[in-house]
Amino acid sequence: MDMDDTPQPEALPPNLKLLRVLVTVLMVTMIAGFLVIVALFVIRMPGGGTLPLPEAVVLPEGARASAFTRGRDWVAVVTEDDRILIYDAATGALRQTVKITR
């Protein structure tokens, strides 16, 4: 007769084995999904090329800039007197003036 008093580990119930497998599969799936998302961001990001900007933009006399934005081949300055001045991005020449009315 064996009189060893050391406890023997019991096998996991079948429900817990299934749960352990499901959690492991979920973890692997989430890691794979995260890697796919990171890869898509890297692949789809633009090359980081900069848009051309003019060296200087000359505002009309008395105009003060309050906002600035740029497009592919133009830059726009919004002035405090409610005008939008659109300049050519390559040359800095004024293309168009738009008056904002209230």
Side-chain angles (χ1 to χ4, degrees):
M1 192 171 216
D2 191 355
M3 296 297 234
D4 192 11
D5 288 340
T6 58
Q8 298 297 322
E10 295 181 23
L12 290 176
N15 290 344
L16 284 181
K17 285 182 182 179
L18 176 64
L19 184 60
R20 176 195 265 171
V21 169
L22 289 176
V23 168
T24 303
V25 169
L26 177 63
M27 179 187 66
V28 169
T29 304
M30 289 177 61
I31 291 171
F34 179 74
L35 292 176
V36 166
I37 289 172
V38 169
L40 286 175
F41 274 131
V42 169
I43 291 170
R44 300 218 176 220
M45 286 291 174
T50 59
L51 295 174
L53 290 176
E55 283 293 319
V57 174
V58 179
L59 296 177
E61 186 70 34
R64 290 180 44 141
S66 64
F68 171 83
T69 189
R70 66 182 184 180
R72 223 172 328 156
D73 62 343
W74 55 269
V75 293
V77 177
V78 180
T79 62
E80 290 179 348
D81 59 350
D82 293 330
R83 289 185 292 167
I84 302 172
L85 307 171
I86 301 172
Y87 293 90
D88 187 87
T91 64
L94 181 64
R95 278 194 195 173
Q96 182 179 3
T97 301
V98 178
K99 179 71 177 159
I100 303 170
T101 58
R102 297 178 197 231

